[in-house]
Amino acid sequence: MIMMTDVFKVYANGTRALKGITFTLGTGEFAFLVGPSGSGKSTIIRLVTGEIAPTDGQLVVNGYDMNRIKMRKMPYLRRTIGVIFQDFRLIDNKTVYENVAFAMRVVGASNKEIRARVPYVLELVGLEYKAKVKPQELSGGEQQRVAVARALVNNPALIIADEPTGNLDPARSLELLMLLQRINELGTTVLVVTHEKPLVDRLSQRVIAIDGGRIISDGMDGYYNYEVE
């Protein structure tokens, strides 16, 4: 879960990226985070993943107090979060199986754990028959599903999808969001950062709209009243 209370972020160059952000994303929730370029979306993601710290206000992520977290605790926090990037970030010379297994190896999983978990996750995203294929042999939509599998494989409490449909056509974009919705129904908290209004409109989910470092609406219909630049 994410709990932000009156969070401000001012960068070293003086940019005031966040100006008092308050919202809670509870365990098992699904929400979209929307807003124009420069609105503060990326800053929120960087705060949640521990890349940067708040200037002021309180932030708790999956039980970790981000205002006081020690560096030695950061790897434990990050094991509770799976991040899906727009550009996939797959390893070209590794197979689909190896790409997903790699995410387990970096957190110290055993070979037995990897053999049990990776096939399950690949089946969940519909890629069980592509395990031995390399990324360049896959379509864009399939590559994105590998990225989803990699984010899921360590069984995180929270999935953050950062513009996950930016490189996909409308049909594959909707397919991906439906997959994320299914993952959410299995109990994982999901936060999707996007600017694609038609896709958001297709799913009846909570929408947190941000502009100028402030939340301007938050609810099931927040995006309908907000046009992204």
Side-chain angles (χ1 to χ4, degrees):
M1 58 87 75
I2 302 170
M3 184 168 65
M4 304 188 83
T5 306
D6 204 24
V7 169
F8 288 77
K9 180 61 186 178
V10 181
Y11 287 104
N13 64 3
T15 300
R16 299 178 69 230
L18 299 182
K19 304 168 185 175
I21 295 289
T22 297
F23 75 89
T24 297
L25 184 66
T27 301
E29 271 198 87
F30 186 116
F32 289 103
L33 178 63
V34 304
S37 178
S39 61
K41 303 189 304 297
S42 295
T43 295
I44 289 175
I45 300 307
R46 294 176 70 197
L47 286 168
V48 169
T49 58
E51 184 180 342
I52 57 176
T55 302
D56 200 2
Q58 295 296 313
L59 172 59
V60 177
V61 180
N62 293 339
Y64 290 88
D65 184 340
M66 303 304 290
N67 299 76
R68 297 179 176 84
I69 190 169
K70 306 291 186 184
M71 285 304 298
R72 59 185 172 82
K73 292 286 187 181
M74 200 65 75
Y76 298 99
L77 162 75
R78 289 175 178 159
R79 289 178 196 178
T80 72
I81 303 171
V83 183
I84 303 165
F85 301 98
Q86 178 179 341
D87 58 359
F88 312 149
R89 302 192 185 182
L90 303 179
I91 303 170
D92 289 339
N93 64 354
K94 292 184 181 293
T95 65
V96 166
Y97 183 101
E98 291 166 341
N99 264 278
V100 178
F102 181 76
M104 295 189 72
R105 294 191 194 284
V106 298
V107 299
S110 68
N111 287 332
K112 181 179 179 181
E113 290 171 321
I114 290 169
R115 286 194 300 269
R117 180 70 177 168
V118 174
Y120 166 76
V121 174
L122 289 179
E123 182 178 0
L124 181 63
V125 302
L127 289 175
E128 62 269 33
Y129 300 114
K130 300 281 189 176
K132 296 181 180 180
V133 172
K134 291 187 176 177
Q136 59 267 32
E137 301 172 63
L138 301 173
S139 69
E142 288 170 334
Q143 290 183 43
Q144 188 61 294
R145 279 188 278 153
V146 177
V148 172
R150 186 182 55 196
L152 278 174
V153 75
N154 289 316
N155 198 28
L158 169 66
I159 290 283
I160 297 173
D162 190 4
E163 298 284 359
T165 61
N167 291 321
L168 303 179
D169 61 53
R172 299 289 79 78
S173 295
L174 180 59
E175 180 183 282
L176 175 62
L177 287 180
M178 296 300 290
L179 173 60
L180 290 174
Q181 188 166 257
R182 180 184 172 202
I183 290 165
N184 171 248
E185 289 166 355
L186 293 173
T188 304
T189 307
V190 176
L191 179 65
V192 179
V193 180
T194 186
H195 65 276
E196 298 193 43
K197 186 178 190 301
L199 285 173
V200 176
D201 290 348
R202 292 285 296 272
L203 278 72
S204 297
Q205 298 287 0
R206 178 183 176 190
V207 181
I208 303 167
I210 182 172
D211 196 7
R214 295 185 173 90
I215 290 176
I216 60 172
S217 66
D218 183 353
M220 297 299 290
D221 62 349
Y223 202 42
Y224 294 98
N225 299 320
Y226 178 61
E227 295 292 338
V228 174
E229 294 175 359

